[in-house]
């Protein structure tokens, strides 16, 4: 299955620490978007990467940063973790400019203690 | 930016009955409206979508309707089954741009 893969699946961090989450897009996709899904809420857009650049950004502080590599995979970094950063972090891949074929990964469950 | 509202937040129906979930959006430039099903601990999965040039779309027991003038769209599930129990999210976007999600509807189908 050449779907979207995310790692790790679960992570526990201490307040103030830094975390890196990883995403490999579906084969053939070139754009990666990251979402934060708090418990009982809909996913909230963090940012989107295409051609190794951040193309769009949601209403998240600079503590959230990312990167996209030449093979289209992506990382989400969160610095100075807060308790409120505990959530499911979802990666979605797509083709740039297209809304069809938007595919989500299974997510990384981050718990900040 | 776009604002998507979704109702109801919880919905219980008897097996075999129909379920309807409604969403409204604020940005008239939004032109793509997908619906996702998310089971506990799993990824959101696309179940049906509709574009702004279409008023209705159907796929077996699932249908979506769109009223561009009123800026609302709805998900209809007929002949519900226990396996339809999940959280459903609506979303709105412009092509290639971020998805704005509703807050979700927890659907329970009672056998």
């Amino acid at each position: 299955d050449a779907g979207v893969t995310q790692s790790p699946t679960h992570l526990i961090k201490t307040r103030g620490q830094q975390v890196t989450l990883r995403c490999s897009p579906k084969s053939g996709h070139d754009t990666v978007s990251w979402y934060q899904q708090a418990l009982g809420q809909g996913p909230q857009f963090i940012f989107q990467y295409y051609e190794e650049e951040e193309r769009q950004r949601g209403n998240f502080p600079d503590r959230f940063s990312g990167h996209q590599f030449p093979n289209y995979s992506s990382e989400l970094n969160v610095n100075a973790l807060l308790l409120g950063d505990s959530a499911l972090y979802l990666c979605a891949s797509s083709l740039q400019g297209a809304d069809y074929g938007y595919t989500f990964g299974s997510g990384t469950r981050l718990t900040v203690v | 930016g776009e604002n998507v509202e979704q109702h109801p937040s919880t919905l219980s129906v008897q097996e075999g009955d129909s379920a309807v979930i409604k969403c409204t959006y604020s940005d008239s430039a939004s032109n793509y409206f997908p619906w996702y099903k998310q089971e506990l601990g799993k990824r959101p999965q696309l179940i049906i979508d509709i574009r702004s040039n279409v008023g209705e779309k159907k796929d077996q027991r699932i249908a979506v309707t769109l009223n561009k003038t009123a800026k609302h769209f709805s998900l209809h599930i007929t002949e519900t089954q226990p396996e339809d129990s999940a959280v459903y999210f609506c979303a709105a976007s412009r092509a290639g741009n971020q998805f704005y999600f509703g807050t979700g509807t927890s659907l329970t189908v009672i056998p």
Side-chain angles (χ1 to χ4, degrees):
Chain A
D1 175 64
V4 181
T5 58
Q6 291 187 244
S7 63
T9 55
H10 296 84
L11 202 54
I12 299 175
K13 288 288 189 178
T14 303
R15 191 172 46 183
Q17 284 188 315
Q18 179 264 344
V19 69
T20 297
L21 311 181
R22 295 176 176 82
C23 172
S24 293
K26 182 177 179 179
S27 179
H29 284 180
D30 58 9
T31 301
V32 173
S33 302
W34 287 92
Y35 289 80
Q36 179 195 67
Q37 186 176 22
L39 201 60
Q41 299 295 317
Q44 298 291 316
F45 177 75
I46 303 175
F47 42 53
Q48 181 188 85
Y49 275 84
Y50 171 65
E51 290 187 332
E52 303 179 47
E53 290 187 8
E54 183 183 294
R55 299 291 178 164
Q56 299 175 45
R57 190 179 181 92
N59 189 25
F60 278 80
D62 293 345
R63 297 187 297 109
F64 290 77
S65 63
H67 189 76
Q68 186 180 34
F69 299 93
N71 67 353
Y72 308 120
S73 66
S74 176
E75 290 182 348
L76 164 65
N77 301 292
V78 187
N79 294 323
L81 284 167
L82 303 174
L83 297 179
D85 294 332
S86 296
L88 179 67
Y89 287 85
L90 293 163
C91 166
S93 73
S94 60
L95 276 171
Q96 179 62 19
D99 44 39
Y100 60 87
Y102 209 81
T103 305
F104 282 94
S106 295
T108 295
R109 173 70 64 186
L110 172 65
T111 303
V112 182
V113 297
Chain B
E2 174 66 277
N3 181 44
V4 177
E5 296 188 356
Q6 183 172 346
H7 299 280
S9 55
T10 60
L11 180 60
S12 291
V13 299
Q14 290 292 133
E15 183 177 358
D17 287 351
S18 295
V20 180
I21 302 170
K22 298 181 178 181
C23 288
T24 61
Y25 63 100
S26 61
D27 187 355
S28 57
S30 290
N31 56 12
Y32 178 66
F33 306 93
W35 285 88
Y36 285 86
K37 176 183 180 182
Q38 188 174 30
E39 298 176 17
L40 194 62
K42 296 191 176 181
R43 74 185 77 190
Q45 293 204 308
L46 178 70
I47 57 171
I48 196 167
D49 57 11
I50 192 167
R51 300 180 190 280
S52 59
N53 59 347
V54 176
E56 183 173 0
K57 184 176 178 180
K58 189 173 181 180
D59 183 3
Q60 299 182 350
R61 296 186 298 109
I62 296 173
V64 57
T65 59
L66 171 65
N67 184 325
K68 284 192 299 182
T69 303
K71 296 198 193 72
H72 66 71
F73 56 113
S74 300
L75 177 71
H76 305 253
I77 305 174
T78 59
E79 302 171 22
T80 53
Q81 301 167 3
E83 52 265 38
D84 294 330
S85 296
V87 178
Y88 291 81
F89 292 98
C90 62
S93 82
R94 296 185 230 172
N97 288 296
Q98 62 175 287
F99 284 17
Y100 294 88
F101 284 86
T103 50
T105 296
S106 178
L107 173 63
T108 301
V109 179
I110 304 165

